[in-house]
Amino acid sequence: MNKLTNRKNIVALFTLSALLFLANSVAFGQRFSAWSAAQNLGPTFNTTSSEVCPFIAPDNLSLFFASDRAGGTGGFDLYVSTRPNANAPWGMPVNLGTNINTTGGELCPTVVPGGLSLYFISDKPGGCGGNDIYVSQRMNNQSEWGPAVNLGCQLNSPQSEMSPSLFTDVGGTTNLYFSSNRSGGPGMTDIYVSTLQPGGQFGAPALVEGLNTAFNDQRPNIRVRDGLEIFFESDRTGTLGSSDLYVSARGGTSSPWQAPINLGANVNSASAESRPSLSFDGRELYFHSNRPGGSGAADIYVTRRNIFTPFDIDGDGRSDIRAIRNSTGDFHVLNSANNSHSVFSFGGPVASWFIAHPQDDFDGDGKSDLMAFSSFAGGVRTWSILQSGSNTVRTLQWGFQTDAPVLADYDGDGRTDIAVYRGSQGIWYILLSSTNQMRAEYWGAPNDIAAVGDFDRDGINDLTVIRPSTGAGSPMTWFTRRSSDGAMVVDYWGGGVMGATDSPFPGIQVDVDGDGVRDRMVLRDPDSSTMGNQTTYFIQRSSDRSMLVLPWGLDMDVRAFGDYDGDGKTDFVARRNISGQLIWFILLSSNNYDTTQARVVYWGMTGDA
């Protein structure tokens, strides 16, 4: 394949304006959509006994938990289920063996990145009192766990310690978060943190400021990737039931924790939810609950969220209705949060600006920023970005008029990077927000179409090009270089069909199954020679590679994809001009794409983009 190989960076062919700058920090790292409705993990994990304290390993390939099912060595034993890749089904759980499990109770497993250290709690004899925190080591990911070692009575107390969670910051400092019912805190059970000392021992624990109340606040789990979120359970005032799951965020690892927020009715219930465990990429949250409808006394559940909500200008996790009024050069926004109307003016004379969709977050504040671009002397493209966090306009020059914009997050810092694809040469020119440095990548060949999307679910855009079909019966070929491991993936979707024309949608992250992976999609026009035809979407679901067929809209409609119901899945919009009025026909994933339940919104006028 021509030029589909890595090469060293080359000298930039364009210049930056004086207003380029490197931001001091990312406020909260990646931004996320709302949590989906929690799903029971099913009979692979859950039995008529209790399954509790799940923990998803950082590699996303092992899920640990505790159960008092028959066949164990004591009250609760620790088990693990594994899978070969993140899209494969989980295997049957395996008991961790007698180096870990005893005639006592073992609970709340936690594995550190690399998978060689397992922390958990046990009430077996010989400890400091109640449940203590232990650690076991292994030589590699295929070997057995070694004998468990108590972390000592400076960390452990005569009372009970629960749910260890570890985080190592960029400076190499390791903190161990846990909860305990020891005396000295404001509540019955409180959240503590201990720092690993140079000698290899954990220091005296301290209460975590901002998280504890007079009630039970317990079983914390910190976001391992960057330490900017911490999840826990609490029975404080305001829960939906016995105990609910909460989350607190912070702007940096040295910043204070903000006021905790209840995860809401999609996750919590009138029953008890306990021991949350967040996946490394921040997209999946595992927990256990004794809610009705499960297999036993307590079952394991999972809820999911996506990293990016396109067109979310008010930051509520749902796409907003918007129109660009070319007659005045204004952006008109119908905010989904409160149904209010906002008007934004920037970008210069309409005649000289090509208005781009406001679908990107360049400053990492959790809201889409409005953006316009134009081509000035010499064909150099000038970008103008209204950053929502500061309400200031950032201007820079990047790429040529003939380059295709491929704006996305290429470094995983939660901010959109300015990027273009030079199709004549098969080169991607990316301005990384994390370093303010250019990255140039060879990936593609002449006539290839560059596509935006995260195909390996690591939160980073993967380099992807679509090679058009060569004629009737010939498929389109998708070439992806995964950011997670650099491997090339070749797939076929869409192409030349007799009497029809397929069009890919390269610039959006289509996700109809809510798994955080881009789905391959084409739109088929049955007769491209005439206007007014019904068009149909053909989508390959990434979760199981099944096909979803959605007839929606006419070929004369404007397409405006997004997540208008906040469920983490792509909704499909056909925007139509009827008698001087723009009408938005929105096909919602939350209604299972039922065309009879489509949402209809009147917003905009003739001439609006």
Side-chain angles (χ1 to χ4, degrees), residues 45 82 95 165 260 355 364 383 404 455 464 513 519 548 573 578 588:
F45 290 92
T82 61
N95 190 292
S165 178
I355 307 300
W383 305 77
F455 290 87
T464 300
D513 45 13
D519 302 317
L548 175 65
V573 174
I578 300 179
L588 295 170

Side-chain angles (χ1 to χ4, degrees), residues 469-537:
S469 61
T470 56
S474 171
M476 292 180 181
T477 308
W478 300 60
F479 296 92
T480 298
R481 193 180 79 195
R482 295 189 304 214
S483 58
S484 56
D485 58 9
M488 182 174 74
V489 177
V490 181
D491 211 329
Y492 303 94
W493 194 254
V497 180
M498 190 65 69
T501 301
D502 284 359
S503 301
F505 285 85
I508 58 172
Q509 170 89 5
V510 180
D511 185 6
V512 298
D513 45 13
D515 65 349
V517 178
R518 168 159 179 171
D519 302 317
R520 294 173 174 86
M521 180 184 74
V522 296
L523 187 147
R524 185 163 299 169
D525 179 355
D527 184 1
S528 60
S529 63
T530 61
M531 295 294 288
N533 293 312
Q534 172 80 56
T535 55
T536 304
Y537 298 97

Side-chain angles (χ1 to χ4, degrees), residues 259-422:
I261 298 173
N262 189 296
L263 293 192
N266 271 356
V267 178
N268 295 310
S269 70
S271 301
E273 282 68 48
S274 184
R275 216 288 168 121
S277 174
L278 187 71
S279 61
F280 184 81
D281 61 11
R283 295 186 180 186
E284 291 183 328
L285 186 72
Y286 293 82
F287 63 95
H288 75 257
S289 175
N290 63 356
R291 65 184 66 184
S295 303
D299 279 5
I300 299 174
Y301 292 79
V302 64
T303 177
R304 297 179 173 88
R305 64 185 179 180
N306 282 342
I307 285 181
F308 181 60
T309 303
F311 308 114
D312 181 14
I313 299 166
D314 54 14
D316 69 342
R318 292 175 292 172
S319 299
D320 300 309
I321 303 291
R322 66 273 169 199
I324 303 167
R325 192 138 300 159
N326 289 330
S327 60
T328 60
D330 298 328
F331 287 85
H332 290 257
V333 178
L334 179 61
N335 297 289
S336 56
N338 55 19
N339 209 38
S340 63
H341 177 191
S342 299
V343 180
F344 302 88
S345 299
F346 82 104
V350 176
S352 64
W353 288 88
F354 300 96
I355 307 300
H357 290 303
Q359 62 179 352
D360 298 290
D361 181 9
F362 296 90
D363 54 9
D365 70 340
K367 299 179 181 180
S368 293
D369 298 315
L370 303 179
M371 178 183 64
F373 61 85
S374 70
S375 295
F376 288 142
V380 176
R381 178 162 287 168
T382 299
W383 305 77
S384 182
I385 302 166
L386 179 60
Q387 299 182 130
S388 56
S390 60
N391 199 35
T392 58
V393 177
R394 176 188 175 197
T395 302
L396 59 92
Q397 292 179 330
W398 194 255
F400 294 148
Q401 181 179 359
T402 53
D403 295 339
V406 283
L407 309 178
D409 184 359
Y410 292 86
D411 50 13
D413 70 347
R415 291 178 290 175
T416 299
D417 303 312
I418 296 287
V420 296
Y421 175 69
R422 189 155 299 164

Side-chain angles (χ1 to χ4, degrees), residues 553-566:
L554 305 176
D555 56 5
M556 64 179 64
D557 295 334
V558 174
R559 311 292 165 181
F561 307 95
D563 181 7
Y564 294 86
D565 48 15

Side-chain angles (χ1 to χ4, degrees), residues 108 120-122 128-133 155-164 178-182:
C108 297
F120 62 96
I121 65 170
S122 177
C128 304
N131 285 300
D132 281 2
I133 301 176
L155 179 75
N156 294 308
S157 72
Q159 284 73 45
S160 282
E161 283 64 52
M162 293 171 284
S163 195
F178 64 96
S179 57
S180 176
N181 62 353
R182 65 184 66 188

Side-chain angles (χ1 to χ4, degrees), residues 525-602:
D525 179 355
D527 184 1
S528 60
S529 63
T530 61
M531 295 294 288
N533 293 312
Q534 172 80 56
T535 55
T536 304
Y537 298 97
F538 291 83
I539 306 160
Q540 181 194 62
R541 296 183 180 94
S542 59
S543 55
D544 59 8
R545 297 182 66 82
S546 63
M547 181 169 66
L548 175 65
V549 180
L550 291 178
W552 189 244
L554 305 176
D555 56 5
M556 64 179 64
D557 295 334
V558 174
R559 311 292 165 181
F561 307 95
D563 181 7
Y564 294 86
D565 48 15
D567 68 347
K569 300 178 182 179
T570 300
D571 303 316
F572 294 83
V573 174
R575 198 188 73 183
R576 191 171 302 164
N577 183 353
I578 300 179
S579 301
Q581 173 75 63
L582 291 187
I583 305 178
W584 298 63
F585 299 94
I586 307 174
L587 189 59
L588 295 170
S589 56
S590 55
N591 290 332
N592 295 317
Y593 300 116
D594 184 350
T595 58
T596 65
Q597 300 185 54
R599 179 184 171 199
V600 180
V601 178
Y602 294 83

